[in-house]
Amino acid sequence: MAERFEMESKFRGESLVRRGLLRATRSGKQVRIMPDLNVIKIGGHGVIDYGREVMFPLIDEIGELSRNNKILVATGGGVRVRHILDVGIDLGMPTGVLAELAGKISEQNAIMMSILFSKYNGVRIHTDDLLNLPSLISLGMLPVVQGTPPYGLYEHPPKLGSIPPHRTDTGAFLMAEVVGGKNCILGKNVDGLYAENPFVNPDAEFIPEITADELLEMEMEDMVLEPKAVELLRDAFHVREIKVVNAHVPGNITKAVNGERVGTIIRA
């Protein structure tokens, strides 16, 4: 039998699936590219779709914050994503195709948001531009990116149904994690996490703080953020909490960036 050509490496001859090897790699250090970065996701359905009444004050709040804080804005998709998913599922589109379609819409919102942030040096970037963030922000730019992670046609099959599991909440979290960011803040149209949908049950219990495991064990029928983001939080290396805040309330994003208690904190 011919011999394999090898290169000297600690992984020489490894399958890269051996559990002992994987555990050993967890103990290593990872570079934190931007440890002071605040990733702020502006929800499409919960924030952008409300138009100027909500968005204009929020643009100014985040814009002013960017003068003294490092910020990356990520955008959700909103009602147009729900429409294209509805049509796509009716036409039998595979999950990967649905993910491609959804990403196009959150990208539309990123274009609009970058224009609204023009007076604060807003600049629209793409998902593969994350390594340029240190340079862009050092130049005084306020980068805006679509929140849909670029799985596209390679999107994972969902555990339930056919809607892509990695959407914009998850994308914002993954961006914060890969650059070693300080905060992952999800701007919504509710005050945080509730035990039930507060629009259906106004008396639903508010949950100010919870762990990822505790939240997943609740197996909630509905939730303010994507379950996939919570699942990934458990294994994250750098970002060990997700903050969910009401972006309709002036000052909430500022409080979250400054470390003040507001909304819900989900911890790893």
Side-chain angles (χ1 to χ4, degrees), residues 151-245:
Y151 287 97
L153 299 176
Y154 296 85
E155 173 62 286
H156 301 186
K159 294 178 180 178
L160 181 65
S162 56
I163 292 175
H166 298 92
R167 299 190 300 281
T168 53
D169 291 343
T170 306
F173 169 76
L174 289 171
M175 285 186 270
E177 171 65 13
V178 74
V179 299
K182 174 184 176 183
N183 279 312
C184 177
I185 300 167
L186 306 182
K188 302 286 185 176
N189 63 341
V190 292
D191 290 334
L193 178 69
Y194 288 81
E196 300 175 65
N197 186 335
F199 293 112
V200 176
N201 178 11
D203 297 321
E205 177 190 359
F206 176 69
I207 304 173
E209 186 170 342
I210 194 170
T211 68
D213 282 334
E214 289 169 345
L215 179 52
L216 293 171
E217 286 171 5
M218 291 176 69
E219 296 186 345
M220 297 170 66
E221 172 65 19
D222 201 358
M223 194 159 57
V224 70
L225 76 164
E226 297 154 22
K228 182 59 68 174
V230 182
E231 292 174 14
L232 294 174
L233 175 63
R234 297 181 299 179
D235 300 321
F237 204 96
H238 298 301
V239 179
R240 305 298 293 166
E241 64 183 33
I242 295 173
K243 299 178 180 180
V244 183
V245 304

